[in-house]
Amino acid sequence: MKKTNPKAKDLNHATADPKGVLTGVHFMNGDQSACEGALAAGCRFVAGYPITPSTEIVERFASRIPTVGGVFIQMEDELASSIAIQGAAWAGLKTMTVSSGPGFTLMMEHIGLAAMLETPCVIIDVQRAGPSTGLPTLPGQADMMQVRWGSHGDYEVIALVPNSPQECFDLTIQAFNLSEEFRVPTFVMMDECVGHMAERVVIPPAEKIKVFNRRYTTLPIEEYLPYRTGKDLVPWFVKAGTGRRFHITGLTHDERGYPTMNAEAQGKLVHRLVEKIRTNAEQIVRFEEEDCEGAEVIVLSYGITSRVASRAVEMARKQGIKVGRFRPIVVWPFPEKRIRQLAGMAGGFVVPELNYGQISLEVERLVAGKVPVTLVPHGGGTVHQPEDILRAIREIVRL
Amino acid sequence: MKKQTKKETPLSIEPRPQNPIESLIRMERLPHMWCPGCGIGISMGAFARAVLESGIDQNLLSVVSGIGCTGRVAGYLRLDSFHTTHGRAIPFATGLKLANPKLKVVVYSGDGDLTSIGGNHLIHAARRNVDLTVILVNNLNYGMTGGQFGPTTPHEAFGTTAPYGNYEYPLNLPYLMDVCGANYVARWTVYHVRQLTRAMVEAMNKDGLSFIEVISPCPELYLRRNRLGDALQEMVYLKENSRIQNGAETRSVAIEQKRQEIIVGKFVDRERPGYIQAMDEHLGKAMGARYQRPSFWEK
Amino acid sequence: MPAKGPRGKVHTVADRCKGCGFCIEFCPLKALRASGTMNRGGFHFPEIVTPDKCSGCNMCGMVCPDFAIWSEKLISEKDESES
């Protein structure tokens, strides 16, 4: 039995602009599909810098966007790309940049800026094996904590993890919608395998694609403050050139957007930056689970690893083990509530990932020692052998 | 209001009308944080007058700053203004401009910000001839962090990180911008306020990248550490030791020594197509009817 | 051309002044001097010596880093040349 968590409040207010939607059935790889997702979501500005294995996204955007009506600019580096998109966002566009490991590392500075300015923008990281230059053409999943914590200071982000080219399309649209709604940098955490594997991708007609358009302030100039918020803690947007003469800064600021150099302002600001995601987390999280309640073992995996894990789950079931599958689709914020529940209903967790323990730490934190959590680590460069995951499953049930 | 002013400052000459440039300044944020005698405020005043004189639509004028003393300019101007990260004002401004070409976008930042940590962006913005005006206030050192040497610090000048003197040589910024392809390159000092204002008007009316280097005293750090006198002496020095040479060969205008003649003037004024025009024309030519000009570019 | 009465008028906001002295130094007609008193910040702000001297050229305003002083013309250039 497959189910997803109850559908979050319907976020979306509009349908896609048909100009950007390549309706039809396609055979394309995850990179290309993510690009189409961005176009369908209404992204009209991409700044990028070439890096394997994400380059196909910007290549496709460079080729497609002049036929749709938008701008692609290849910047001098990822630092520039990740802030050029923020300039364009403050002029009113939906914007995106794209990178992989080393380039993603360079973007950390502006992930912090986007969090601080509350710039809606999407960043795709097609993960490769690291650290450093690592294995440029081969997969990794070791940026999962970096995306959560990589820039200095306290902030929250939203990150989604597709495991197929179809999901690269769907989740990129979702990333734009979430980013626009919550005004946080939002990430699509692909990996080289998902980016480069080609599969059937169905792009629906524009009227079937829901998009969330930015909420601009309607308050008169005298009443509007760039960072005053209501209950949802998300300020409504203002764009340049509308006569409001607003100021924004990466310094700690007050509701006016003016630098305010004291602990009180800092506390207030950071509290809101964090709480606007934490209090809305249940509405943001998405996951897919199968036979988890009462399972002897739950295999929790994401991205390409979730597909390898499926094979291991099948093998284990053939051996008579009750195995559940859990796949976070939104990985940040993490589905904390559900994992805590499942910790009381299952015999243990196996977490295979292409790193030496990142999401497994989150699972351990939530399970809090109630049941065993086994990491199946992998250095990247290829995917797990299903047998390695199976072995971990069998160890938990002590077969 | 009048009463109050009189009370606080008994010798204030007259109840005042507004300083004409106040409409462009976030008065509620004054006094600004710059040291006494710092030239950044002079340059900002010149900019405000340039905006008023040029008749530019202030609602369509954006200012983008990086980090540092000059980086605070954005926060004091009553315009759409963006205080970004260290060195990255130019790429932010590039995105802003490309997303709405109706905006005039001015990058206003310091020498350390734009030429050291942001040097690569400066070079490529000039190479692309992006339609931006870059106002670079050069105070010859890092002020905000306390007077370290930087890529514009003259040879053998002292800084807190060059305690025995600077053994590096500084950049010649007009030359750099010239060879990279900027459409407009000028240098003035804050003493040359009239010419500086005129240059700012000219620069904001150019397509492509326009660049103005503004030489400005840093009295508390650079001048003091180098025993070059106070701010007033420096202003007099700038007056007496600057030579206006419009059209000068940019390779000849380096400021390499602590004390030397400073060549000022408009060095480059040419009409290469700006980035937006180049992109638009090229894609139109290369793609023909398939080319869709962005709707947000329409006038 | 000798001035008949003041041609310009200086305005100051003394408390904004940080005492750099640029306005006094660069006033072409040397119409300003440092006040004997101090403002709130402890700086000797400028004051006009002889109001009649001021031509309203606004050099003081242009070189002031603190927007604390400026001058305006009382007679437009045109009127002046006609008289």
Side-chain angles (χ1 to χ4, degrees), chain B residues 92-112:
Chain B
F92 184 98
T94 301
L96 192 64
K97 178 70 182 179
L98 292 181
N100 185 356
K102 288 188 285 293
L103 301 176
K104 290 254 179 232
V105 182
V106 176
V107 171
Y108 210 128
S109 215
D111 49 313

Side-chain angles (χ1 to χ4, degrees), chain B residues 39-221:
Chain B
I40 298 169
I42 305 178
S43 82
M44 194 176 115
F47 177 72
R49 279 189 302 281
V51 172
L52 293 172
E53 282 171 26
S54 67
I56 284 170
D57 184 345
Q58 293 168 22
N59 287 340
L60 292 177
L61 176 60
S62 286
V63 174
V64 185
S65 289
I67 298 298
C69 292
T70 314
R72 292 303 188 93
V73 165
Y76 293 124
L77 284 169
R78 189 172 298 289
L79 294 166
D80 290 342
S81 56
F82 304 89
H83 183 220
T84 63
T85 50
H86 198 14
R88 323 290 174 212
I90 285 178
F92 184 98
T94 301
L96 192 64
K97 178 70 182 179
L98 292 181
N100 185 356
K102 288 188 285 293
L103 301 176
K104 290 254 179 232
V105 182
V106 176
V107 171
Y108 210 128
S109 215
D111 49 313
D113 184 73
L114 285 169
T115 74
S116 186
I117 188 166
N120 200 26
H121 310 308
L122 183 68
I123 287 170
H124 289 281
R127 176 184 64 78
R128 293 189 186 105
N129 211 17
V130 188
D131 307 87
L132 303 173
T133 296
V134 178
I135 298 170
L136 182 153
V137 178
N138 182 0
N139 63 6
L140 308 175
N141 77 148
Y142 286 95
M144 184 72 89
T145 45
Q148 296 77 28
F149 83 103
T152 52
T153 305
H155 187 62
E156 295 188 338
F158 294 94
T160 57
T161 48
Y164 309 108
N166 177 22
Y167 36 82
E168 299 180 9
Y169 282 87
L171 281 165
N172 174 349
L173 295 175
Y175 185 34
L176 178 70
M177 289 294 93
D178 183 4
V179 296
C180 289
N183 257 0
Y184 181 98
V185 180
R187 174 198 281 153
W188 296 101
T189 79
V190 289
Y191 167 73
H192 300 87
V193 271
R194 282 202 178 83
Q195 294 95 326
L196 177 59
T197 304
R198 203 179 314 131
M200 287 170 168
V201 173
E202 273 183 1
M204 285 191 283
N205 283 316
K206 292 283 294 185
D207 289 333
L209 190 120
S210 47
F211 174 86
I212 304 172
E213 180 183 12
V214 185
I215 306 296
S216 169
C218 175
E220 296 293 328
L221 297 160

